[in-house]
Amino acid sequence: MKHLVKISFLAIVVIQFLLMIKMDPNSAPSFELFIIPLLFAVFFIFNLAVRKSKSFQSYFMSEWNIFTSKFKQETLYDIPQALMIDKIAEVINHSKFKLVDVDQSKGEIMATSSMTMKSWGENIYIDLKPLGEKTAMEFCSVTMFQMTSWGKNAQNYHQLLNDIEDALII
Amino acid sequence: MPIIVNLDVMLAKRKMKVKELSAAVGISVVNLSILKQSKAKAIRFSTLEAICEALDCQPGDILEYRGEE
């Protein structure tokens, strides 16, 4: 069903593009032709404006949001939750990501990467759940405005794991 | 793990708090807490040296091997 939505969206964009190509250059451009580019622009600006807001986490992580590519993984650590939160926050502060929010009570961490020539930026959501003396880390990397992340999300995850491992050498 | 970190014992002997040790050796409280709970993967010689200097002790006072019974 999710793929059907993606394909339908692509079909609309292709039809719009074909209409624009076939348009008579002498005739005045109709308003309908600018609706989709306009919607795109509004959507793009809206996403950029809200991407650093913690309240839009479910919006970006939703499986129905076809404009983001998601990657989820879970890892278990032999370190209590409170220490793990501080440790991950420290690791993120020394990485390319910018720490946006740390919720000690819920065990949630949010970080973002800035826009580059190759990427629109990624959001990272980390959920740390206590399991006795251990901690389960739920990692989710979301790539903005991309239907596929081309391995970037998985790369972020492995980079974070490596950074945590390195940071445990004291 | 058979290697036990007795940092808390040495801190108690020296009547020092983790925060004070952190300031003295330049290692974050989080890292010292991880070390204290024997959850660290490894310890650098430079860290060991700084801790021994701050606590005026020997590496053997901090690290102990306890074979699994």
Side-chain angles (χ1 to χ4, degrees):
Chain A
M1 185 68 183
K2 202 171 72 178
H3 294 293
L4 194 71
V5 176
K6 278 186 182 180
I7 290 164
S8 313
F9 169 76
L10 281 173
I12 292 167
V13 173
V14 169
I15 290 166
Q16 172 82 23
F17 184 69
L18 289 175
L19 279 172
M20 284 180 91
I21 288 172
K22 283 197 168 183
M23 197 179 77
D24 182 7
N26 298 324
S27 66
S30 63
F31 175 71
E32 287 80 13
L33 283 174
F34 294 103
I35 288 179
I36 290 183
L38 186 75
L39 285 176
F40 256 115
V42 170
F43 171 78
F44 189 79
I45 293 165
F46 168 76
N47 275 267
L48 278 183
V50 300
R51 76 171 274 222
K52 287 183 182 175
S53 168
K54 186 82 172 59
S55 12
F56 281 85
Q57 179 177 346
S58 52
Y59 164 73
F60 285 115
M61 281 174 66
S62 165
E63 63 173 305
W64 294 105
N65 188 337
I66 60 165
F67 300 101
T68 58
S69 170
K70 281 110 4 208
F71 176 88
K72 286 180 189 175
Q73 278 290 335
E74 198 173 316
T75 318
L76 194 67
Y77 281 100
D78 188 21
I79 295 173
Q81 188 212 31
L83 274 181
M84 209 56 209
I85 293 170
D86 292 339
K87 192 73 214 171
I88 292 176
E90 190 185 281
V91 166
I92 289 173
N93 273 330
H94 288 95
S95 71
K96 64 170 182 171
F97 288 95
K98 191 183 168 194
L99 203 60
V100 175
D101 185 71
V102 179
D103 192 329
Q104 292 273 357
S105 56
K106 289 182 185 169
E108 290 174 354
I109 296 172
M110 183 193 167
T112 57
S113 74
S114 51
M115 229 186 279
T116 62
M117 290 293 281
K118 286 182 183 173
S119 158
W120 290 110
E122 299 107 56
N123 277 17
I124 281 185
Y125 302 100
I126 298 167
D127 194 5
L128 297 159
K129 289 177 183 161
L131 292 171
E133 280 294 292
K134 295 182 179 182
T135 307
M137 178 180 85
E138 268 180 34
F139 174 92
C140 183
S141 176
V142 178
T143 316
M144 300 286 131
F145 316 116
Q146 282 172 248
M147 287 177 186
T148 177
S149 76
W150 308 107
K152 195 137 191 169
N153 283 332
Q155 196 185 321
N156 287 338
Y157 172 67
H158 295 300
Q159 184 64 52
L160 183 79
L161 287 195
N162 286 340
D163 288 350
I164 293 172
E165 285 295 309
D166 287 348
L168 287 175
I169 299 170
I170 295 163
Chain B
M1 204 162 79
I3 300 287
I4 309 294
V5 180
N6 289 320
L7 193 59
D8 47 351
V9 177
M10 280 313 294
L11 282 169
K13 277 183 185 172
R14 300 288 182 258
K15 290 176 183 162
M16 201 185 246
K17 287 179 181 169
V18 179
K19 266 189 179 178
E20 290 167 348
L21 182 65
S22 166
V25 297
I27 296 168
S28 67
V29 174
V30 184
N31 282 339
L32 283 178
S33 301
I34 288 171
L35 189 63
K36 200 162 65 110
Q37 293 184 26
S38 304
K39 304 288 184 188
K41 295 272 174 202
I43 180 165
R44 291 189 181 90
F45 278 123
S46 55
T47 307
L48 199 55
E49 188 187 326
I51 292 172
C52 287
E53 195 184 333
L55 293 175
D56 188 24
C57 64
Q58 293 299 313
D61 297 328
I62 297 165
L63 302 175
E64 183 190 340
Y65 172 74
R66 263 185 229 167
E68 287 175 47
E69 286 158 20

